Amino acid sequence: MTNIGFCSPIRGFRDTICGCCSTIIPCLADPETRSSWGLKASLVMLHLLYVGVLFIFDKDLIRKTVEEPWYTAAYLFVLLATLAQYFITAGTSPGYVLDSMRAVNDAHAAFRKASESKQSASNGDTSLTISVEGDQFGRTGSFNSPWTKLVMDMYPPGSSVRTWTCSHCNIVQPPRAKHCHDCDKCVLKFDHHCVWLGTCIGQDNHFRFWWYIFEENILCFWTVILYISFLRSHTPRAWWIDAIMILFLATLIMCTIFIFLLLIFHNYLILTNQTTFELVRKRRIPYLRGVPAKVFPFSKGICRNISEFCCTWGKHNMESVPPLEELEERSRPYTCSDVLCCRCC
């Protein structure tokens, strides 16, 4: 009873704060939105905490800032660029299947309307033509829609439409797409759902995500160097300052190692044109089960993989599943002529 009585005012105060925030900012009325922005605020505060501790305790850094302001300016620029890239990535759409489907169907409808108007003008008749898109139930995911025909051409012959129809969105998924249960949408070239960003990483924002973790690596390594320089200096200070700095440095090194390994992992995915989901759940994806070992089905060579990753984001490009004969040809061992011809590139 005592604990309940003690916690009740705290819960009431929390609810009051949440109610005021929801009134001022209506979008915060949604608990998921509040949680997402809470994580973003926590990450920003974490960056400011590690940097702020340096400027509070490191007198040499303050003196260096006065003597060589460009050094501190460059460091703060990296900090601001990293945070800006974080929010840009979090606010960029990963590329939803529904948006791509609407674009394809709208383009097809506009093309057909233009063709019919030209045909009507050339024939000179005044007949009225009425056409209905979709099935008798009016569903957008009709089996005869332009989107369905386009997507099914990307799968091996004999594939069933129902096999690739999302049970949640009721739309046909192209290869490499997946339904995200956190976002409740189907994402093109789904990689993973990032909790810290509060969004999925997919075709349209994977490039921005890579830039974010690249900038985060630069910031973390630079900050580690500053912490080590402070601890190695012979400036007189209290013992508890060293204890705080060592604790911060230990946690920072662990974070840096994780982010560095994450960057290496995504570099590998880019060079081989894979996604995290395909690598981890390969045996659960029907069109990847028969792929020979050590064969990357969507890889077009290292150079082209990098080019497409850097230059085709935001264009909703979709890739067909390669035929089995092509995959078996890729699985053959390399020869001297293959090396000379840069087969891997």
Side-chain angles (χ1 to χ4, degrees), residues 204-221:
D204 289 358
N205 64 351
H206 197 175
F207 178 72
R208 297 184 186 276
F209 176 75
W210 183 90
W211 267 112
Y212 164 64
I213 58 177
F214 176 75
E215 293 174 10
E216 194 73 68
N217 269 276
I218 296 176
L219 179 63
C220 286
F221 276 107

Side-chain angles (χ1 to χ4, degrees), residues 27-230:
C27 65
L28 294 181
D30 182 18
E32 292 184 2
T33 305
R34 284 203 304 269
S35 176
S36 176
W37 278 103
L39 283 173
K40 291 180 175 64
S42 300
L43 188 136
V44 172
M45 293 302 297
L46 204 61
H47 282 73
L48 296 179
L49 178 63
Y50 276 87
V51 174
V53 166
L54 271 174
F55 282 92
I56 290 173
F57 294 130
D58 195 348
K59 305 302 180 183
D60 291 337
L61 181 61
I62 300 298
R63 188 181 69 254
K64 192 171 184 178
T65 301
V66 176
E67 297 174 354
E68 301 176 356
W70 61 268
Y71 183 84
T72 304
Y75 177 71
L76 294 178
F77 174 79
V78 172
L79 171 65
L80 294 177
T82 302
L83 293 177
Q85 188 63 41
Y86 168 78
F87 283 102
I88 291 172
T89 306
T92 303
S93 169
Y96 296 115
V97 176
L98 184 61
D99 296 336
S100 185
M101 184 191 72
R102 287 172 178 169
V104 170
N105 289 339
D106 290 346
H108 178 80
F111 176 77
R112 191 177 63 178
K113 185 177 180 181
S115 300
E116 289 177 354
S117 62
K118 289 181 181 179
Q119 185 177 1
S120 299
S122 60
N123 293 337
D125 61 354
T126 57
S127 60
L128 178 64
T129 303
I130 299 177
S131 61
V132 179
E133 284 288 334
D135 58 10
Q136 59 180 339
F137 300 104
R139 293 178 298 188
T140 56
S142 171
F143 291 167
N144 295 321
S145 67
W147 170 258
T148 303
K149 295 176 182 178
L150 174 67
V151 171
M152 292 312 298
D153 287 340
M154 299 178 182
Y155 288 104
S159 299
S160 172
V161 176
R162 297 186 184 277
T163 304
W164 308 113
T165 301
C166 177
S167 58
H168 302 276
C169 301
N170 194 30
I171 56 177
V172 183
Q173 295 177 337
R176 316 191 76 179
K178 181 188 176 296
H179 183 86
C180 176
H181 296 281
D182 295 293
C183 299
D184 198 25
K185 292 181 180 179
C186 290
V187 179
L188 293 168
K189 200 176 179 181
F190 177 84
D191 189 87
H192 70 284
H193 183 88
C194 183
V195 178
W196 284 102
L197 288 169
T199 186
C200 283
I201 303 301
Q203 187 180 69
D204 289 358
N205 64 351
H206 197 175
F207 178 72
R208 297 184 186 276
F209 176 75
W210 183 90
W211 267 112
Y212 164 64
I213 58 177
F214 176 75
E215 293 174 10
E216 194 73 68
N217 269 276
I218 296 176
L219 179 63
C220 286
F221 276 107
W222 199 340
T223 307
V224 166
I225 292 172
L226 291 176
Y227 269 84
I228 293 175
S229 299
F230 170 78

Side-chain angles (χ1 to χ4, degrees), residues 241-316:
I241 294 180
D242 282 346
I244 292 176
M245 298 299 281
I246 291 173
L247 178 63
F248 272 72
L249 178 60
T251 56
L252 181 60
I253 288 175
M254 288 189 290
C255 294
T256 303
I257 292 173
F258 171 76
I259 296 173
F260 180 67
L261 293 177
L262 182 65
L263 180 64
I264 293 177
F265 175 69
H266 278 273
N267 287 340
Y268 167 73
L269 294 178
I270 294 167
L271 295 177
T272 56
N273 196 6
Q274 295 186 92
T275 64
T276 302
F277 176 71
E278 291 171 347
L279 186 65
V280 175
R281 301 299 179 93
K282 182 177 181 179
R283 299 305 172 190
R284 293 184 57 183
I285 304 175
Y287 55 81
L288 295 181
R289 288 174 187 166
V291 176
K294 298 182 180 180
V295 173
F296 312 113
F298 298 103
S299 178
K300 303 175 183 65
I302 294 175
C303 296
R304 190 173 174 186
N305 290 341
I306 296 174
S307 175
E308 289 189 356
F309 178 80
C310 296
C311 303
T312 62
W313 54 275
K315 297 182 181 179
H316 287 188

